[in-house]
Amino acid sequence: MYFALPKSALQVFNALEDRPISSKELARRTNLSERTVRYALKVLKENGLVEEIFFLRDARRRGYKRKKLTPG
């Protein structure tokens, strides 16, 4: 399967980890604006590559991590 992803989405995807990470931290790691990171995360979620996690201590905060892809 081939995804035509924007360059910013690829940068954000490469900065993601297996543990949830905030969009602010992703912006710091990639040197992209928070708005660009939010757009990239939206694209990645639409393509099933990213999982959005709500933090238990504060449901207003969200974290993002790479989705575990299963072959098939």
Side-chain angles (χ1 to χ4, degrees), residues 1 5 10 14 17 33 39 44 61-62 70:
M1 185 180 294
L5 297 174
L10 291 173
N14 288 329
E17 300 178 349
S33 71
Y39 173 74
L44 291 167
R61 292 188 56 228
R62 298 176 200 162
T70 56

Side-chain angles (χ1 to χ4, degrees), residues 20-70:
I21 184 171
S22 71
S23 58
K24 280 188 177 196
E25 178 62 24
L26 285 167
R28 278 194 291 270
R29 287 184 182 193
T30 58
N31 291 321
L32 297 170
S33 71
E34 287 186 46
R35 183 177 181 174
T36 300
V37 168
R38 284 192 303 271
Y39 173 74
L41 288 167
K42 177 181 177 267
V43 170
L44 291 167
K45 283 191 302 183
E46 288 172 354
N47 284 287
L49 298 171
V50 168
E51 191 174 349
E52 184 176 29
I53 312 270
F54 291 90
F55 292 112
L56 294 176
R57 291 183 184 166
D58 185 352
R60 295 171 296 179
R61 292 188 56 228
R62 298 176 200 162
Y64 302 89
K65 67 179 191 173
R66 289 183 184 181
K67 200 169 195 177
K68 300 246 189 267
L69 302 177
T70 56

